[in-house]
Amino acid sequence: MKLDQYRLTEEPAYHASGNEVAFYEAAYEARLPVMLKGPTGCGKTRFVEHMAWKLGKPLITVSCHEDMTASDLVGRFLLGPEGTHWQDGPLTLAVRYGAICYLDEIVEARQDTTVVIHSLTDDRRILPLEKKGELVHAHPDFQLVISYNPGYQSVLKDLKESTKQRFCAMDFTYPAAGIETAIVASESGVAPDVAGRLVRIAEKSRHLRGQGLEEGASTRMLIHAGRLMRSGMSLTDACRLALILPITDDPDMRDALEAAVDACA
Amino acid sequence: MKLDQYRLTEEPAYHASGNEVAFYEAAYEARLPVMLKGPTGCGKTRFVEHMAWKLGKPLITVSCHEDMTASDLVGRFLLGPEGTHWQDGPLTLAVRYGAICYLDEIVEARQDTTVVIHSLTDDRRILPLEKKGELVHAHPDFQLVISYNPGYQSVLKDLKESTKQRFCAMDFTYPAAGIETAIVASESGVAPDVAGRLVRIAEKSRHLRGQGLEEGASTRMLIHAGRLMRSGMSLTDACRLALILPITDDPDMRDALEAAVDACA
Amino acid sequence: MKLDQYRLTEEPAYHASGNEVAFYEAAYEARLPVMLKGPTGCGKTRFVEHMAWKLGKPLITVSCHEDMTASDLVGRFLLGPEGTHWQDGPLTLAVRYGAICYLDEIVEARQDTTVVIHSLTDDRRILPLEKKGELVHAHPDFQLVISYNPGYQSVLKDLKESTKQRFCAMDFTYPAAGIETAIVASESGVAPDVAGRLVRIAEKSRHLRGQGLEEGASTRMLIHAGRLMRSGMSLTDACRLALILPITDDPDMRDALEAAVDACA
Amino acid sequence: MKLDQYRLTEEPAYHASGNEVAFYEAAYEARLPVMLKGPTGCGKTRFVEHMAWKLGKPLITVSCHEDMTASDLVGRFLLGPEGTHWQDGPLTLAVRYGAICYLDEIVEARQDTTVVIHSLTDDRRILPLEKKGELVHAHPDFQLVISYNPGYQSVLKDLKESTKQRFCAMDFTYPAAGIETAIVASESGVAPDVAGRLVRIAEKSRHLRGQGLEEGASTRMLIHAGRLMRSGMSLTDACRLALILPITDDPDMRDALEAAVDACA
Amino acid sequence: MKLDQYRLTEEPAYHASGNEVAFYEAAYEARLPVMLKGPTGCGKTRFVEHMAWKLGKPLITVSCHEDMTASDLVGRFLLGPEGTHWQDGPLTLAVRYGAICYLDEIVEARQDTTVVIHSLTDDRRILPLEKKGELVHAHPDFQLVISYNPGYQSVLKDLKESTKQRFCAMDFTYPAAGIETAIVASESGVAPDVAGRLVRIAEKSRHLRGQGLEEGASTRMLIHAGRLMRSGMSLTDACRLALILPITDDPDMRDALEAAVDACA
Amino acid sequence: MKLDQYRLTEEPAYHASGNEVAFYEAAYEARLPVMLKGPTGCGKTRFVEHMAWKLGKPLITVSCHEDMTASDLVGRFLLGPEGTHWQDGPLTLAVRYGAICYLDEIVEARQDTTVVIHSLTDDRRILPLEKKGELVHAHPDFQLVISYNPGYQSVLKDLKESTKQRFCAMDFTYPAAGIETAIVASESGVAPDVAGRLVRIAEKSRHLRGQGLEEGASTRMLIHAGRLMRSGMSLTDACRLALILPITDDPDMRDALEAAVDACA
């Protein structure tokens, strides 16, 4: 009941690229914590949604950030008419009632957030609520999943070795052209050949990575472009708004990206 | 009802420079989040007001700053006679009841403010109120708009790549001379030829940018000068107070700007 | 009623140096925000008091500092017997009931304090009380005035360009000798020739600026010296206590200033 | 009663490598505080659990982190219907009612957390609750244990000399091959020969330490691999997910580790 | 009534070194704020106590430090059975009811503490209690006094020029030998010739300043030594405990100071 | 009554090394504040306990740390059923009811903690409770004692000169061999010859100080080793656990220390 709002009501579309579904199922069967590695917008969040739906488990997602505290995850005392009462945080909800808890971009969080998961990721599977003086033993359905973008980590902000070693890891990247075309077509509603042209533009932009562009166009941006076209915009205008202007202000890079669009228009 | 005070009661004047109105309508139809890029005082805020009025939607504007927290956007518990109760923040109001939410100069905000919009800017369109244990599904009318001034960003303060990729972007700059003259005349009440002289002064000041001036005179400053003239001041005095003294203390730069004023007086 | 304690009950003496009174009246008529630029103790605060008295408006002055938060300006919830109630801060009082609000040395404040004035300094003239969920439309009498000492600004602590452009600016400096003599005589009660000698000493000290002295003696310091003389102290002692010891501990600089005093004693 | 949830209900498996059990018993008999030194995942936490079970004492474990305050350990006032009441923190619970208190990775904690244990680790054995004005004399069963990973300490983050000197220390490292094989087999459920192959892979990875790898595979990671194999995964896939992907993104290092896996597959 | 506990009940002994008493009386008559400059322990605090007693005014002393906030000076809301009520801070007490307020070592305080005194140190003589929405007009007896040790200031921690200019300043240093001998004898109870020997030792130690000693022995330290002798200690032991060990751990410097003691024993 | 729990109920053993007992008695008779200087674990805390017992005064000990605030020492308002009430901190308890207050490692504390003792350490002997608006005059029995380890101080963290000058100081170091042997024997229960061997090992380790060892073995560590031997451990094992492993991880240094142990075993 507590977790009803976290159940997925329809199947999230997912196009598998390899064995990732079977691998995840094995990790879930062993209740091992899982780390999803890969660049922004390549489908990690969608994959977790798909797996939660497939396994029939509720999914609680938390976007981590550097001002997030352990209390934001674990819970806190709130003041009510009868004095303070405890309110479970999203992690405690998942642990207590049995959900998959997905901590998105965990390296952004402060250390206390990271350390709080240690006793959940070894064989103890317990969560101490120190402020409340309670030890929560994890529900058998509980599993912890985190995402991690290796390209973003710096020396200052990385997971501690003692944290990394607690996870099984799976690599993600952009899907192969055929699969990405199918995704863009189904998610945005454009015709497959239009989707294919968008994917070719994305591939060109990804080759510019490291030559002045931090990242190429993601699958999500292609879907944005497709949806703008569905609202009546031309491919050139849609790509300009959805693929070029958001990611660069450098005139040369904009020219290079517009040339890529023109070549596929 | 909750949003009544955020509805625009009269049409905000806007002079279009290109296809920006149609582009925005397409993005709104697809409910894609929009990023407005451009320098200070060139009309981004007015454009959003105009579009909100045109689309008949309420508009909630938040000026971001580095001491703003996620709670300032999302809401917080307040203590009342019956204990704590939840008060929606401006973003939650917009999400729940269906407004356009405009986050002005979002890069100034702390990261937790930026990350809070992630789940609103992909296909989930949800806002988790973690402190309250509620998942708010966005109202069909909700849209997120942010402004971004590329000239101001530094390495330390920039949007994360994973945030940028969630937006369609539109470029803004100062309007062409004829349009800017019309704006200054109608907003300040001076005669068109006076407005034209102010615009020519602004153009000269914008050429000094990068030669010791951080930015040239904005359209807003021209309107200020016009309004001072309407209060009885000479063009020279008005330009000195409204265009020169506020932006530079350098004697040479002041001389250069005064020469520009004299040339058009 | 709310603003009664902020009304000036007697005319603050002010000796004009140029057109500043007329300029300010024009800016107030157009309800443009005003920035007063100039060194410490040259009379900016007194000028605002004079103008508020002349225009018959209440004046709310806030000395800004780096630990001031937006809540200190805008207001906050306080806990009372019926739970929390909102208390308007000084800026909100001015906005709601129609006062001139003078933010002294605004660059000292934190950014959230600075950004909070943005929507008050363009044509919207609104103040969003986000914590309370209220949009306050400015009273027709409301005007914002800030002071700014260009000599003090560093790269780390300066107004943002997007803030500066929202203001009309007026330059202030120490008054001409004749006017300054009249001010010192009337404010401290010393005879005009004594006041004249104090002003000559100040002029000498101002020439030492940049040669080991951060600033010369201000008009305020001359008034202090005059008042010490009215309490029976000699000119030499009074100048030592009021003009020399407070601003330098360097023996050579003290000798130079004492020589200047001796030359006029 | 207060400590019932902290009693171990079944014997935690532990394979001794030397005299550590007798040494710990001697230290406990003298009620000396103990410091366990060694790398991540080599079994320090399991050892403390085993000793607590063997000695029949409750065990309270706290994972330290840099945002942990002394109040998190010692306790705090909470607001209830009758005003504030005191709630003992985990350390105070252990001191007052007689448990072993295990502070995991104590160097991560802030100094106030470290200093709070000083009066517990000399012959006074008292804990002052300054906020409450109470001096708690330690229960005869109380003992303090901390873990410390020498390889992780930096100049900025190390125990103060005056803290180190208060502890007896015991060294831990990865178990010898035969013992580690037995641990992996019994903990993961794989056959001994499979466990032996995993241990050989781990040994190879530990030789890569310092050549681009921060740490080699820990015993815990071998158990993860074994459990994935029990869920049906091949040794190669299981080692990739559990031993390689979590700890390195460097392609050469990944190749070297995969070669090590292939050699034992 | 409110200030009764701040009235001095007996005359604090003070041995004047020059015109400082008359100068202070002139400054108080003009109600000018006063800055006392000089090294640690030379009698600034005692001088203010003496003047407060002489003028028959209560004295409120605040030792400033870098964690002191404006609220610590001005006051704050406290929660009582009827909700929050305001409690005046020490500065507000002095302003409202008419005391001399002495801020000791003001440069140690945070900026908000410093800025709060601005409107009290010009002709306005008002203290805005922004949190309470009250403007307190200073009682006619109120005066502000601050101490300032020029030898301690660094670039990072100095009074702002705009603060310094608001004060009359008076220099203090160690008293002349005869006066200091009388002070030490009367304050510690030792015979005048013993006091004279202590003063000669102090003079020698002050010559070592800058040669490895941050400051020489202060008058206060001589009184300490005298009082130890009154408790039966020898001059050599008393000087070692009170003059040498507290201020240096350098063996050479200790030898030099002990030689100075021996020469006068 | 308030201080009953702070009275020592049995005599703490103390072996004097010189005149320190008489010196302390003289300082206490004059009620001068005392600073105890010396390395970790050499007996400073035990000395204060002994003196408090000898003088028949209660002793309140506070271990200082960098997150300790002035409120932790002085007291704070707590919320009760009738609203807030004041709770004295440990320093205020000592001042009000007459105890010796011992601030251990005071340089670790924040400045506000240090400054709060200023008015207690000159002839005023008062403690202002600014938050409460009360001036507490010290009880005649009150005395302040602080400890200070000169070897640990850095430029960033040292007592201010104006604080040091307020104290009489006494030097402490490790006791002479005969005395230390007696201490180790009586505190740990080992035979005098065993204690003598432990002291010889300690002397060797102290010679290694500065050659890679931050400090040698303290008297406390010898007592630890002795107590482990009383629990049945060999001298070699006991020295390894209690003297070597806690203070160094350097293999060469460990070898050197083990050689020292072997030479005395």
Side-chain angles (χ1 to χ4, degrees), chain B residues 93-142:
Chain B
L93 274 180
V95 170
R96 203 188 283 281
Y97 301 107
I100 295 171
C101 185
Y102 177 48
L103 303 180
D104 196 11
E105 299 202 46
I106 192 167
V107 286
E108 297 293 340
R110 297 197 319 192
Q111 276 211 10
D112 62 339
T113 316
T114 312
V115 168
V116 103
I117 62 176
H118 275 198
S119 60
L120 281 167
T121 48
D122 55 30
D123 58 293
R124 292 177 287 170
R125 280 177 62 92
I126 52 172
L127 177 63
L129 307 180
E130 279 140 15
K131 290 202 165 78
K132 201 181 165 215
E134 181 188 353
L135 262 190
V136 187
H137 290 268
H139 187 282
D141 287 355
F142 170 74

Side-chain angles (χ1 to χ4, degrees), chain D residues 9-244:
Chain D
T9 49
E10 42 190 313
E11 177 174 3
Y14 182 74
H15 302 254
S17 291
N19 294 330
E20 69 263 34
V21 171
F23 283 178
Y24 189 98
E25 285 175 328
Y28 184 79
E29 190 180 321
R31 293 302 183 274
L32 294 179
V34 170
M35 178 195 294
L36 307 181
K37 291 182 148 182
T40 304
C42 73
K44 300 189 295 293
T45 298
R46 180 64 67 91
F47 174 66
V48 180
E49 292 179 331
H50 180 75
M51 292 313 300
W53 181 85
K54 195 153 192 292
L55 295 164
K57 306 298 172 204
L59 173 68
I60 300 184
T61 299
V62 181
S63 297
C64 300
H65 52 80
E66 73 185 18
D67 298 310
M68 190 168 79
T69 64
S71 294
D72 291 332
L73 276 186
V74 161
R76 53 168 55 81
F77 283 102
L78 293 178
L79 187 60
E82 300 300 310
T84 52
H85 65 276
W86 177 263
Q87 164 133 346
D88 282 341
L91 177 62
T92 307
L93 275 181
V95 170
R96 203 189 284 279
Y97 302 107
I100 295 171
C101 185
Y102 178 47
L103 303 180
D104 197 11
E105 299 203 45
I106 191 167
V107 287
E108 297 293 340
R110 298 195 321 191
Q111 277 213 7
D112 61 339
T113 316
T114 312
V115 168
V116 103
I117 62 177
H118 276 198
S119 59
L120 282 167
T121 48
D122 54 30
D123 57 294
R124 292 177 288 171
R125 281 178 61 91
I126 53 173
L127 177 63
L129 306 180
E130 278 140 17
K131 290 205 166 75
K132 200 179 165 218
E134 181 188 354
L135 265 188
V136 186
H137 291 268
H139 187 282
D141 288 354
F142 170 75
Q143 188 201 25
L144 189 72
V145 184
I146 64 176
S147 75
Y148 179 86
N149 185 338
Y152 280 5
Q153 312 327 320
S154 65
V155 173
L156 280 177
K157 236 181 182 176
D158 198 358
L159 285 181
K160 295 202 301 176
E161 197 65 25
S162 64
T163 302
K164 283 184 192 171
Q165 298 203 356
R166 294 160 178 278
F167 287 86
C168 296
M170 296 168 67
D171 271 0
F172 282 77
T173 185
Y174 302 118
I179 295 172
E180 193 166 27
T181 299
I183 293 171
V184 172
S186 72
E187 297 275 324
S188 71
V190 294
D193 70 301
V194 174
R197 276 190 284 158
L198 290 171
V199 168
R200 282 201 298 283
I201 294 168
E203 283 168 347
K204 285 175 196 283
S205 85
R206 289 166 194 164
H207 288 136
L208 293 168
R209 194 183 159 195
Q211 299 173 40
L213 210 58
E214 213 176 320
E215 291 207 26
S218 64
T219 313
R220 176 186 295 132
M221 296 169 87
L222 302 184
I223 297 168
H224 282 188
R227 288 168 69 190
L228 286 175
M229 292 176 75
R230 289 278 294 169
S231 296
M233 215 177 274
S234 71
L235 184 143
T236 308
D237 284 343
C239 287
R240 185 168 164 81
L241 262 70
L243 305 187
I244 302 176

